[in-house]
């Protein structure tokens, strides 16, 4: 093993010879590669350095490659960083005791009025996030965030909880043009881990906790991997969203091209106040990506957004019919809230100068008009981040505590504008988009969950179960 690595796997060209195949696309070669992949996935969770010493320029069938030291190709794992739910369940293997435990848990769900209470879990931040400065942990995060394919070890990183601080919504696979926009030295998996650490640190400071104690709901950890319960959990995604106080969106420019992401976004905002959604977009917002964001939102469409498995589109369309007035209403709700929340984020950049206001903020006003949401556009017209910046006190724009005071004053003005102008528009949009009966049911469930969470610190596990 190399220094700092628990295991190094080498895939030699002799694999093809062993498979008695002339072509790397032959069934024999693929069978040997599948055996190698199974060995990796069944290994204990550890940093794994993946490399191929094949013919230079040859691209293995399941991964993007980058030339390294003139002779080896390093797997980034971006092209096949996601796999279908059916494949994960079908190819899964669980120890007998755990299989029996999960089978029993599945049997208790029949007739249960609140399956989400039984299935809800969370994972602490220390297991899935790390600081930019922690180089060793960043390497480990590459292993975790590089693919949605999980093992039972990932599931055991989480524990049974009645709620989580954040629901994490993101795309597992990096954008196809990631290197063009962000540069090839930026690792998508590392960015996600570091962004979550910053989010956890902010909440920890607010609550007087250690950032490592902040909890997340992440499907890879909180859904039983390689068991049929995975399918059940997917059907109860709304229950998990209700039991998360906030949602953190790792908002890359291709986020709104994925139907699952769009559904999670809209569903959370149907259950929660918009202020409880945090956009982690600043890292990805660059001159090269600005237009990509602006173009993505008008193209939100149930029919055209991508699904890794087309079966997911059927499931999500059924959910949309169940909760929303129509498919058009769902799409308009997603588009309007996306423009509003992106404008909230961009306003902090746009306040630096009149030029930045015109180049960064005004396009979102125009986009609101373009998608036919004039009320939203009019609300955005009332934003004046340049004036807010001046009102906050230019003399306080220094490093240290002075900078913190200035930012707080700016944020207060931003929040006041949001409450006065944007919030009423978003509430009206929600009432027009979500079915009234769905809002009533969701409101009751969310109130019950919130009340139970407040009481949970005073209740024994048995009394907590009876309360639920």
């Amino acid at each position: 093993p190399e220094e700092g690595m628990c295991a190094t796997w080498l895939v030699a060209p002799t694999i093809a010879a062993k498979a008695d195949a002339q072509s790397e696309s032959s069934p024999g070669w693929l069978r040997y590669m599948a055996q190698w992949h199974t060995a990796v996935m069944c290994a204990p969770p550890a940093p794994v350095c993946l490399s191929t010493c094949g013919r230079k320029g040859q691209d293995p069938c399941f991964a993007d490659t980058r030339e390294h030291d003139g002779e080896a190709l390093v797997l980034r794992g971006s092209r096949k960083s996601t796999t279908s739910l059916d494949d994960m369940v079908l190819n899964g293997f669980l120890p007998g005791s755990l299989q029996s435990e999960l089978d029993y848990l599945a049997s208790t769900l029949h007739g249960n009025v609140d399956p989400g209470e039984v299935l809800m879990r969370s994972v602490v931040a220390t297991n899935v996030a790390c600081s930019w400065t922690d180089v060793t942990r960043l390497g480990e995060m590459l292993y975790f965030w590089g693919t949605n394919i999980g093992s039972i070890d990932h599931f055991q990183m989480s524990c049974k909880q009645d709620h989580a601080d954040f629901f994490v919504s993101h795309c597992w696979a990096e954008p196809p043009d990631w290197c063009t926009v962000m540069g090839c030295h930026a690792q998508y998996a590392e960015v996600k881990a570091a962004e979550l650490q910053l989010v956890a640190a902010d909440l920890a400071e607010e609550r007087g906790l250690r950032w490592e104690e902040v909890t997340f709901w992440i499907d890879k950890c909180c859904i039983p991997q390689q068991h049929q319960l995975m399918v059940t959990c997917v059907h109860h995604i709304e229950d998990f969203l209700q039991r998360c106080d906030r949602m953190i969106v790792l908002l890359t420019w291709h986020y709104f091209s994925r139907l699952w992401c769009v559904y999670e976004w809209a569903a959370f905002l149907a259950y929660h106040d918009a202020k409880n959604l945090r956009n982690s977009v600043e890292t990805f917002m660059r001159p090269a990506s600005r237009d990509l964001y602006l173009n993505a939102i008008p193209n939100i469409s149930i029919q055209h957004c991508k699904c890794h498995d087309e079966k997911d589109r059927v499931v999500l369309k059924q959910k949309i019919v169940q909760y929303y007035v129509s498919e058009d209403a769902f799409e308009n709700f997603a588009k309007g809230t996306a423009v509003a929340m992106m404008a909230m984020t961009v306003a902090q950049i746009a306040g630096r100068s009149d030029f930045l206001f015109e180049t960064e903020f005004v396009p979102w006003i125009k986009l609101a008009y373009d998608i036919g949401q004039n009320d939203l556009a009019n609300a955005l017209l009332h934003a004046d981040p340049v004036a807010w910046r001046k009102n906050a006190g230019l003399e306080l724009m220094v490093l240290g505590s002075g900078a913190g005071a200035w930012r707080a004053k700016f944020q207060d003005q931003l929040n006041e504008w949001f409450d006065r102008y944007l919030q009423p528009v978003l509430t009206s949009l929600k009432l027009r988009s979500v079915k009234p009966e769905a809002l009533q049911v969701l409101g009751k469930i969310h109130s019950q969950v919130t009340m139970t969470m407040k009481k949970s610190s005073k209740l024994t596990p048995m009394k907590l179960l009876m309360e639920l």
Side-chain angles (χ1 to χ4, degrees):
E2 298 175 355
E3 184 178 357
M5 295 291 180
C6 293
T8 300
W9 294 78
L10 193 65
V11 185
T14 53
I15 285 179
K18 289 181 181 179
D20 192 24
Q22 299 299 317
S23 169
E24 291 182 350
S25 62
S26 70
W29 190 87
L30 294 176
R31 182 171 62 253
Y32 272 84
M33 293 303 295
Q35 292 173 357
W36 167 79
H37 180 262
T38 300
V40 174
M41 295 310 301
C42 292
V48 180
C49 177
L50 304 178
S51 64
T52 60
C53 297
R55 296 182 296 276
K56 185 180 296 186
Q58 283 286 352
D59 186 9
C61 59
F62 56 87
D64 277 349
T65 59
R66 300 289 184 271
E67 188 169 349
H68 179 67
D69 294 336
E71 60 183 52
L73 298 174
V74 178
L75 274 68
R76 292 174 58 90
S78 59
R79 182 173 305 169
K80 284 289 186 180
S81 59
T82 57
T83 191
S84 70
L85 188 67
D86 289 344
D87 287 344
M88 283 190 277
V89 173
L90 182 64
N91 298 324
F93 172 78
L94 299 174
S97 59
L98 185 57
Q99 179 77 40
S100 299
E101 180 182 339
L102 293 176
D103 287 345
Y104 174 76
L105 179 61
S107 69
T108 65
L109 298 179
H110 298 296
N112 192 305
V113 296
D114 190 6
E117 188 279 327
V118 178
L119 296 170
M120 182 64 190
R121 298 173 71 89
S122 66
V123 58
V124 291
T126 190
N127 287 337
V128 295
C130 67
S131 169
W132 279 109
T133 59
D134 193 339
V135 178
T136 301
R137 284 288 290 157
L138 280 176
E140 296 172 4
M141 292 298 102
L142 281 173
Y143 174 76
F144 178 83
W145 288 106
T147 174
N148 74 325
I149 303 173
S151 69
I152 199 61
D153 297 298
H154 296 128
F155 177 65
Q156 292 176 330
M157 288 165 59
S158 67
C159 61
K160 179 75 179 73
Q161 294 288 345
D162 56 5
H163 83 293
D165 294 317
F166 287 98
F167 184 102
V168 180
S169 183
H170 67 107
C171 298
W172 278 105
E174 67 185 34
D177 51 353
W178 173 264
C179 287
T180 302
V181 176
M182 300 292 292
C184 289
H185 293 293
Q187 293 284 350
Y188 181 48
E190 291 180 345
V191 172
K192 288 192 281 189
E195 286 293 307
L196 290 184
Q197 190 275 334
L198 295 174
V199 170
D202 287 345
L203 183 62
E205 183 178 0
E206 176 185 322
R207 294 184 175 177
L209 304 172
R210 296 170 56 247
W211 73 262
E212 293 89 346
E213 300 171 330
V214 172
T215 56
F216 296 109
W217 189 95
I218 301 172
D219 53 0
K220 187 172 182 176
C221 297
C222 300
I223 291 179
Q225 300 293 306
Q226 303 173 350
H227 188 273
Q228 191 59 39
L229 269 176
M230 291 184 72
V231 179
T232 304
C233 288
V234 167
H235 284 286
H236 288 283
I237 191 71
E238 296 83 7
D239 293 318
F240 304 133
L241 284 162
Q242 292 163 23
R243 287 174 165 78
C244 294
D245 299 340
R246 299 168 174 82
M247 182 160 83
I248 172 66
V249 182
L250 302 173
L251 190 54
T252 50
W253 53 92
H254 74 320
Y255 176 88
F256 288 114
S257 70
R258 311 298 304 185
L259 188 55
W260 260 116
C261 293
V262 174
Y263 184 81
E264 291 173 357
W265 171 283
F268 183 86
L269 291 173
Y271 310 148
H272 296 270
D273 189 291
K275 283 188 175 180
N276 292 333
L277 184 147
R278 172 162 173 172
N279 268 346
S280 182
V281 68
E282 295 90 342
T283 301
F284 309 110
M285 180 71 78
R286 305 197 174 188
S289 65
R290 184 193 303 115
D291 288 344
L292 299 176
Y293 281 103
L294 289 166
N295 293 333
I297 294 174
N299 291 320
I300 291 176
S301 164
I302 297 172
Q303 295 301 323
H304 298 125
C305 283
K306 298 176 182 177
C307 292
H308 182 78
D309 189 337
E310 279 302 311
K311 294 178 183 177
D312 291 345
R313 193 183 309 276
V314 176
V315 171
L316 292 174
K317 289 185 73 170
Q318 291 172 346
K319 289 178 175 291
I320 290 167
V321 170
Q322 179 180 357
Y323 293 113
Y324 294 88
V325 173
S326 66
E327 292 187 1
D328 287 342
F330 169 82
E331 292 172 357
N332 287 332
F333 182 62
K335 292 176 184 178
T337 53
V339 171
M341 301 311 294
M342 285 295 295
M344 272 284 289
T345 303
V346 171
Q348 302 186 50
I349 304 171
R352 297 173 185 167
S353 68
D354 291 329
F355 173 77
L356 285 175
F357 179 79
E358 290 293 328
T359 57
E360 301 293 337
F361 193 85
V362 170
W364 295 100
I365 302 176
K366 295 179 179 177
L367 180 56
Y369 281 124
D370 290 343
I371 62 176
Q373 303 206 18
N374 294 344
D375 290 345
L376 174 59
N378 292 333
L380 296 180
L381 284 170
H382 285 88
D384 194 352
V386 176
W388 301 338
R389 187 180 178 93
K390 292 178 180 178
N391 295 338
L394 290 175
E395 70 278 2
L396 295 178
M397 286 196 297
V398 294
L399 296 176
S401 60
W406 174 86
R407 285 195 298 269
K409 290 183 178 181
F410 180 89
Q411 190 65 42
D412 287 343
Q413 295 174 91
L414 180 64
N415 290 338
E416 182 181 354
W417 164 71
F418 181 88
D419 292 338
R420 183 175 180 181
Y421 294 104
L422 268 188
Q423 189 70 276
V425 173
L426 295 179
T427 300
S428 175
L429 181 59
K430 180 190 297 187
L431 293 175
R432 297 195 309 270
S433 304
V434 185
K435 289 182 177 180
E437 58 271 25
L439 284 175
Q440 291 175 0
V441 172
L442 296 173
K444 289 180 181 178
I445 294 175
H446 184 61
S447 297
Q448 291 172 354
V449 171
T450 302
M451 187 178 302
T452 302
M453 288 189 301
K454 290 180 179 179
K455 293 181 179 179
S456 61
S457 59
K458 303 178 182 178
L459 297 175
T460 64
M462 181 57 68
K463 290 183 177 179
L464 177 58
L465 182 60
M466 294 173 65
E467 284 285 332
L468 287 167

